[in-house]
Amino acid sequence: MRHAKVLGVLSFLFFTYHGGQADQPNLKRTTSREHQEIRLKFNLKPGDKYLFSSIVKQDITQEMMGQQIVTKQNMASDYIYDVQTVENGITTINVTFGAIKMDTDVASGMQQLHFDSENPEAGTGELKTLANLVGKSFLMRINEEGNVKEIEGLAEIIGSVDDQQAEILKQSFGDSTMIQNMNQITNIYPNKTVGKGDTWTKSFSGSVAGMLHSTATSEFTLSEINGDLAIVAVDGQLVFSKLENGGNPLLQGAELDLNGTQKGILELDIASGLPIKTALKQDISGNLEIQGMQIPMTIVSDITITGKKM
């Protein structure tokens, strides 16, 4: 039973994980490229409002006691960004949870979980607590490189929920996880002048929901300048391990060794830095060991994030 619970925790965790906190970018310039140069940075203006929509489709395959268990998950979520102020290169944004929809199918119907914020009462078990987020807002502060520096007010939203129900929110929408999720949308800029063919690298490292340690190194390449749009390719390496002194008792005594890749394309509005479309594919594989039992895992995720001005 403990094995199944651990797998469930990890499945939901990777379902909501997208990125991490980034270090300074390392810019490399090609010797042969077109002469046009642009400056890419997070440059949203006070008073503007944006809708970001995320769709994650994920297949998780686990092998346990000679059996292969496939979990298929789909999640759609909306966030409304209301830009408040820009001071000293820091943009303060009021972020509101919009619609949330989730569907999980374990082993072709052995277990199914559902939630749709348009009909929360029809949701499955603990997932109903996601309804506590819809319509709630918190503040987020981002620098010109798109690095989320601070989140304010989210802990109070989760803290207002019943303790038992709040646990799933803490795992999936706590401050550390939310910073990483938001960084996936915004932490992508070199904040330097670049031309076609130029690359920059960002290194990601941090905890995921107080349970796992993640390290990622991503190389971004400006592949095209198409009118008002910059087309950027991303090629990254991902490594996950158990967080030392992590807070979740289900992972005590467990060993985790997972790594993978993240590849995709970003479409950015050059003037504002608005990520109009992000399309990523993650391939992660490795092992989870619990009480001497080896559980091989593969996690394949297709992530699509779109942004538009409201």
Side-chain angles (χ1 to χ4, degrees):
M1 179 63 70
R2 177 170 178 258
H3 299 164
K5 288 183 177 180
V6 170
L7 294 176
V9 168
L10 291 176
S11 296
F12 197 84
L13 182 62
F14 281 108
F15 190 47
T16 55
Y17 170 80
H18 298 316
Q21 187 172 2
D23 301 328
Q24 292 291 327
N26 176 30
L27 180 67
K28 292 191 297 183
R29 175 148 288 166
T30 60
T31 56
S32 177
R33 56 179 171 77
E34 294 180 359
H35 294 296
Q36 185 180 4
E37 293 185 339
I38 57 175
R39 186 175 178 87
L40 292 174
K41 65 177 183 177
F42 191 78
N43 193 33
L44 305 187
K45 303 301 182 184
D48 287 345
K49 187 178 290 189
Y50 299 88
L51 173 65
F52 285 95
S53 300
S54 171
I55 298 175
V56 181
K57 297 181 179 181
Q58 189 173 71
D59 288 348
I60 301 174
T61 302
Q62 303 155 342
E63 295 181 15
M64 187 169 58
M65 294 184 291
Q67 292 187 330
Q68 188 177 83
I69 301 173
V70 178
T71 300
K72 292 184 175 294
Q73 303 194 100
N74 294 283
M75 182 175 181
S77 55
D78 290 343
Y79 297 96
I80 298 171
Y81 281 24
D82 190 350
V83 184
Q84 305 293 298
T85 62
V86 179
E87 297 179 357
N88 300 319
I90 301 296
T91 302
T92 299
I93 300 174
N94 187 75
V95 181
T96 302
F97 288 97
I100 302 174
K101 186 175 182 179
M102 180 184 299
D103 290 291
T104 302
D105 185 352
V106 181
S108 299
M110 183 177 71
Q111 183 182 22
Q112 294 184 333
L113 304 173
H114 306 283
F115 177 79
D116 187 340
S117 58
E118 293 187 358
N119 187 15
E121 288 305 313
T124 306
E126 291 181 331
L127 293 187
K128 290 182 180 180
T129 193
L130 295 175
N132 291 284
L133 299 178
V134 178
K136 302 292 179 59
S137 302
F138 60 93
L139 292 178
M140 179 170 65
R141 295 181 176 90
I142 307 177
N143 67 12
E144 291 183 344
E145 292 175 13
N147 188 2
V148 180
K149 306 298 290 184
E150 182 184 17
I151 278 180
E152 179 184 332
L154 184 57
E156 287 75 10
I157 295 173
I158 295 176
S160 66
V161 180
D162 175 78
D163 287 345
Q164 185 175 359
Q165 291 184 331
E167 187 59 34
I168 193 171
L169 299 183
K170 290 177 182 177
Q171 290 175 2
S172 306
F173 298 96
D175 281 2
S176 62
T177 302
M178 185 57 66
I179 285 174
Q180 293 175 17
N181 286 347
M182 293 296 149
N183 268 323
Q184 180 66 29
I185 299 174
T186 62
N187 200 345
I188 53 181
Y189 307 98
N191 198 18
K192 296 177 182 289
T193 300
V194 291
K196 181 178 178 181
D198 286 346
T199 66
W200 59 98
T201 301
K202 288 194 170 185
S203 297
F204 297 72
S205 184
S207 65
V208 184
M211 294 171 59
L212 302 180
H213 184 270
S214 67
T215 301
T217 301
S218 295
E219 183 176 85
F220 298 87
T221 302
L222 178 58
S223 57
E224 294 288 343
I225 300 173
N226 186 6
D228 295 332
L229 293 181
I231 312 302
V232 177
V234 58
D235 188 351
Q237 301 293 318
L238 308 172
V239 178
F240 300 91
S241 59
K242 191 184 74 169
L243 183 68
E244 294 300 324
N245 302 316
N248 195 297
L250 289 176
L251 291 181
Q252 291 182 4
E255 295 296 330
L256 184 68
D257 181 16
L258 291 169
N259 57 76
T261 61
Q262 175 173 268
K263 300 178 184 293
I265 296 292
L266 317 177
E267 297 180 12
L268 309 178
D269 176 70
I270 295 172
S272 66
L274 176 70
I276 294 173
K277 184 174 182 180
T278 301
L280 299 171
K281 185 179 182 66
Q282 292 180 348
D283 285 284
I284 300 168
S285 62
N287 288 283
L288 170 68
E289 181 179 337
I290 308 175
Q291 298 175 342
M293 176 183 291
Q294 292 282 343
I295 304 175
M297 303 175 64
T298 62
I299 304 163
V300 179
S301 307
D302 288 299
I303 303 165
T304 303
I305 304 168
T306 57
K308 64 179 180 179
K309 192 172 182 180
M310 298 178 67

